[in-house]
Amino acid sequence: MAEVKAGLQDVVIAASEICSIDGAKGILTYRGYDIHDLAAHSSFEEVVYLLWNGRLPKRAELAELEKQLTENRAIPAELIDLLKRLPPPQHPMETLRTAVSALSLYDPEAEDMSMEANRRKALRLTAQMGTLVAAFGRIREGKESVTPDPNLNSAANFLYMLKGQAPNAEDARWFDVALILHADHSFNASTFAARVTASTLSDLHSAITSALGTLKGPLHGGANEQVMKMLLAVQTEAKAEDHVRGLLAQKKKVMGFGHRVYHTEDPRATVLRKMSEDLGRRTGQPKWFQMSRRIEDLMIREKRINANVDFYSASAYYVLGIPVDLYPLIFAVSRISGWTAHVLEQYANNRLIRPLAEYTGPRGQKYVPIDRR
Ligand code: COA
């Protein structure tokens, strides 16, 4: 019997030049650049260039990409119309998944599989993702969608389109950092799903739709939403400990903790902890950070399980005024850059991804006609 690697744990399925993770040391790099360096010095747009091109841009190259991203933010009026007509989803990810799939119907190059067309589609989708999420966020509240502001970068423009008011410089910079931290994470479940779809030589919009369906699950992109729901339900530091102890006693997972690859602190959590603390203090809402800290201490003390990327992003997004059920969609606003980088890499050196299963069902069954069963 062949050995089954449940959940593909520790299985290396392809070579990739985009992102590396050292799970033992807690090091994450994009194209060889440490995530801490990028978070401290870079911008989301610069990271997008890096992921797509394999090197940091020169000043003029960055300016050109920023211009192209800005120029491609608009979504077709028909799609705004669609967002208004679709029934209220049970979860907003349903709408985003549907809308991204629908975008291909308005993309004149949807079925053009040349590398140049795929790069242009990657650019359009990356520019449009934030517009879609913000438009949905407003339309469901009965408000008009906000036209993108070409004078704002991706991070500030997203907050502006969502809230109808430009963010202050500190909020905008922290959100930019959050986008940098979420941009890529190697062969995580949604990226792998995108690559599987791309490996059939299906189109880029289909690959991203697969990724969105995969990101939606609570074990992946849905975790930070669950973290915030827990913090809101619990409300006080004292109750937070009891609540988490209760979950552990029932052998339930505490959302925002644990990771398949990191056996030490997720380096993104290190930055997001600071973000949550700083934003909490500056907005006069330190309570969510303090509760989170208490839960983290307990999880490390009792279970030796570290916080992951989803733990502190929850309280940080909350004080930025982002609706809780949009958190997984925010993940997509950033991760679209990594997904598209991986899809382009897959197309450039494609081999159909098609693993095997160890069959454990019955064998040699004799067909019995239906009226004799
Ligand atoms: N809370 C409590 N216990 C946890 C845990 C958590 N968040 N994450 C892992 N564990 C425990 C498991 O119960 C298991 O214990 P056991 O061996 O005694 O049964 C052990 O750690 C291994 O967990 P497992 O779920 O098998 O690891 P995995 O590699 O398959 O899962 C995750 C990784 C991320 C899916 C898992 O840690 C998880 O479900 N976390 C919560 C969801 C989350 O935050 N997802 C976002 C990831 S960035």
Side-chain angles (χ1 to χ4, degrees):
M1 181 164 162
E3 188 193 355
V4 174
K5 295 275 195 176
L8 292 181
Q9 178 151 6
D10 299 329
V11 176
V12 177
I13 75 121
S16 173
E17 295 181 355
I18 299 172
C19 177
S20 80
I21 305 172
D22 183 331
K25 295 197 184 122
I27 299 172
L28 167 63
T29 72
Y30 298 162
R31 302 279 191 182
Y33 293 91
D34 192 290
I35 193 71
H36 289 302
D37 261 357
L38 294 171
H41 305 297
S42 187
S43 65
F44 177 62
E45 289 80 0
E46 193 173 42
V47 164
V48 172
Y49 188 99
L50 176 66
L51 290 171
W52 286 348
N53 297 288
R55 63 174 176 83
L56 288 171
K58 296 187 196 310
R59 198 176 287 280
E61 291 167 331
L62 178 59
E64 178 58 24
L65 178 67
E66 287 169 345
K67 179 168 165 283
Q68 288 176 354
L69 284 169
T70 305
E71 285 172 358
N72 282 283
R73 281 178 185 157
I75 50 177
E78 292 91 334
L79 219 83
I80 296 278
D81 228 40
L82 181 74
L83 290 177
K84 289 183 180 162
R85 282 172 198 227
L86 286 171
Q90 289 170 53
H91 193 284
M93 280 297 276
E94 294 173 86
T95 306
L96 184 63
R97 187 193 58 210
T98 305
V100 167
S101 181
L103 263 182
S104 83
L105 298 167
Y106 300 98
D107 195 314
E109 297 185 299
E111 289 295 313
D112 185 338
M113 289 298 280
S114 67
M115 196 42 108
E116 298 71 31
N118 279 325
R119 285 181 70 95
R120 287 191 291 271
K121 283 183 274 182
L123 178 96
R124 283 197 282 278
L125 270 177
T126 301
Q128 289 168 326
M129 194 66 88
T131 315
L132 267 181
V133 173
F136 167 75
R138 291 183 68 83
I139 288 168
R140 70 171 175 170
E141 289 176 4
K143 299 175 184 156
E144 280 304 312
S145 58
V146 170
T147 310
D149 181 344
N151 298 311
L152 298 176
N153 69 11
S154 303
N157 178 60
F158 174 76
L159 293 175
Y160 165 66
M161 289 190 302
L162 182 67
K163 304 211 278 181
Q165 162 183 358
N168 64 45
E170 292 84 2
D171 287 3
R173 175 57 191 157
W174 270 126
F175 192 63
D176 194 32
V177 170
L179 295 182
I180 293 170
L181 296 174
H182 285 84
D184 196 47
H185 210 227
S186 186
F187 276 51
N188 59 91
S190 56
T191 302
F192 183 54
R195 291 191 74 133
V196 170
T197 302
S199 85
T200 69
L201 296 184
S202 183
D203 65 286
L204 192 116
H205 285 80
S206 295
I208 302 307
T209 306
S210 295
L212 283 162
T214 310
L215 182 71
K216 180 169 176 286
L219 296 188
H220 189 5
N224 55 2
E225 177 186 358
Q226 301 306 323
V227 170
M228 198 61 224
K229 285 188 175 155
M230 171 175 76
L231 297 178
L232 287 167
V234 170
Q235 281 291 330
T236 67
E237 268 188 70
K239 283 198 207 147
E241 278 215 7
D242 288 347
H243 178 78
V244 171
R245 277 185 209 286
L247 290 176
L248 295 178
Q250 295 169 63
K251 300 238 168 279
K252 289 202 175 139
K253 293 270 179 71
V254 182
M255 290 293 131
F257 287 89
H259 203 275
R260 173 62 65 78
V261 185
Y262 294 115
H263 305 298
T264 180
E265 177 157 301
D266 180 334
R268 301 166 299 175
T270 318
V271 184
L272 288 163
R273 186 187 294 108
K274 284 199 203 109
M275 174 176 173
S276 166
E277 183 177 20
D278 184 62
L279 285 173
R281 190 180 334 101
R282 281 196 310 97
T283 55
Q285 304 178 67
K287 142 178 171 180
W288 310 109
F289 170 75
Q290 287 159 0
M291 281 171 74
S292 303
R293 220 34 254 231
R294 188 92 167 242
I295 294 173
E296 184 186 27
D297 286 347
L298 179 76
M299 286 297 285
I300 292 174
R301 210 169 51 237
E302 308 258 313
K303 296 286 287 181
R304 293 178 178 278
I305 299 181
N306 291 293
N308 60 43
V309 67
D310 286 314
F311 190 59
Y312 283 105
S313 56
S315 44
Y317 291 167
Y318 189 73
V319 298
L320 277 176
I322 297 171
V324 177
D325 61 354
L326 292 189
Y327 294 1
L329 289 76
I330 304 290
F331 198 132
V333 169
S334 165
R335 186 58 61 86
I336 181 65
S337 58
W339 286 334
T340 47
H342 279 272
V343 170
L344 294 174
E345 188 180 64
Q346 183 70 38
Y347 286 149
N349 187 17
N350 188 54
R351 180 114 207 267
L352 176 72
I353 299 174
R354 203 296 187 198
L356 297 175
E358 178 69 22
Y359 176 70
T360 56
R363 292 181 191 275
Q365 300 270 59
K366 290 276 176 290
Y367 183 82
V368 181
I370 195 158
D371 50 4
R372 283 206 268 124
R373 285 175 215 161

